[in-house]
Amino acid sequence: MKTLIAGMMALLPLGVMAQEKPEVDFGIDFTSAYIWRGQDLGGVSIQPEITVSYKGFYLSGWGNAGFDSEDPKEIDLTLGYETGGFSVSVTDYWTAGDTGYFHYGATNTSHTFEAQVGYDFGFLALNWFTNFAGYDGVNSEGNRAYSSYVSLEVPFRLGGFEWTAEVGAVPYATDFYNDGVNGFAVSDVGLKVQKEVAVTEHFSLPLFARISWNPATEGAYFACGLSF
């Protein structure tokens, strides 16, 4: 983990020198349900995000806070790089639990560290994610699973709306996803639609909705919300 992060940090000054000042972007989603990779993680939620970028390099922070006190409180930090359609990143997921934020022990942490690599061809985006440190699942033999997830996304436009069709799968045995899988399992088949809906001449609402199914657990989900 230290080697991967050090390598990305070594490249960061190159991007900084090529750009006079950083770009900052901030957004927030209000969603009726927190559905992640075919798993129901909570109800009505607020999800803010802020990103600082330098010529392809970026550092982002994303959070989730559910309206229900029992819903998870989450903070995710991502360091990544994008060029053309290629992307690579490392994310630190932290969910409030039995241990505090600064607990990083092998057996007493609520952090999960994940590496991502992907390519967006325009008509199709392919991404691979693998947990490499922190809280992770185990395989059928009880060893660290290096739990992974692969997704395919296809964007298209239909009826004046922007759509995205997505299929996600767990490639091998882990109990990190779907309450445990013994091998390859499709865990998310979804369809998302979004559109700016005009309210007045100068104001519109950015609406989205997503329906999805998890064949591995036979779950079905529908979530909608606003994205600013």
Side-chain angles (χ1 to χ4, degrees):
M1 176 182 71
K2 292 181 179 179
T3 302
L4 180 60
I5 295 177
M8 295 179 70
M9 290 301 293
L11 293 173
L12 185 57
L14 299 178
V16 174
M17 290 186 292
Q19 186 173 339
E20 294 183 358
K21 60 182 180 179
E23 297 177 357
V24 180
D25 187 33
F26 174 76
I28 186 168
D29 287 350
F30 296 89
T31 180
S32 62
Y34 179 14
I35 309 299
W36 182 74
R37 297 180 184 174
Q39 301 177 100
D40 185 352
L41 300 185
V44 179
S45 302
I46 299 176
Q47 299 174 339
E49 181 175 18
I50 186 168
T51 301
V52 181
S53 59
Y54 295 88
K55 276 288 185 177
F57 293 92
Y58 67 91
L59 178 64
S60 70
W62 181 94
N64 178 82
F67 281 32
D68 191 319
S69 60
E70 296 183 357
D71 286 342
K73 305 295 186 295
E74 182 177 342
I75 298 175
D76 303 337
L77 301 177
T78 299
L79 176 64
Y81 176 72
E82 297 177 343
T83 179
F86 175 77
S87 65
V88 61
S89 66
V90 173
T91 298
D92 170 10
Y93 297 93
W94 177 77
T95 302
D98 296 332
T99 58
Y101 189 88
F102 297 103
H103 287 254
Y104 294 97
T107 58
N108 68 333
T109 185
S110 295
H111 291 265
T112 298
F113 295 91
E114 177 187 81
Q116 171 268 338
V117 61
Y119 199 90
D120 187 345
F121 297 91
F123 64 92
L124 179 148
L126 172 64
N127 286 279
W128 181 283
F129 308 86
T130 294
N131 297 343
F132 62 89
Y135 176 78
D136 186 19
V138 296
N139 57 26
S140 56
E141 298 176 349
N143 301 319
R144 175 187 283 274
Y146 293 97
S147 304
S148 296
Y149 185 84
V150 60
S151 72
L152 289 168
E153 296 183 357
V154 177
F156 60 98
R157 186 173 179 83
L158 179 65
F161 293 82
E162 300 294 334
W163 299 78
T164 303
E166 180 178 3
V167 176
V170 179
Y172 44 76
T174 176
D175 65 0
F176 188 82
Y177 293 103
N178 308 318
D179 298 323
V181 293
N182 294 321
F184 178 86
V186 176
S187 57
D188 185 49
V189 178
L191 186 63
K192 181 178 180 180
V193 59
Q194 52 191 10
K195 184 176 183 179
E196 296 273 347
V197 178
V199 178
T200 68
E201 183 180 353
H202 303 290
F203 178 73
S204 61
L205 288 176
L207 304 177
F208 67 85
R210 187 176 191 271
I211 185 169
S212 61
W213 299 265
N214 184 333
T217 63
E218 299 186 9
Y221 312 102
F222 184 84
C224 59
L226 301 172
S227 183
F228 295 98

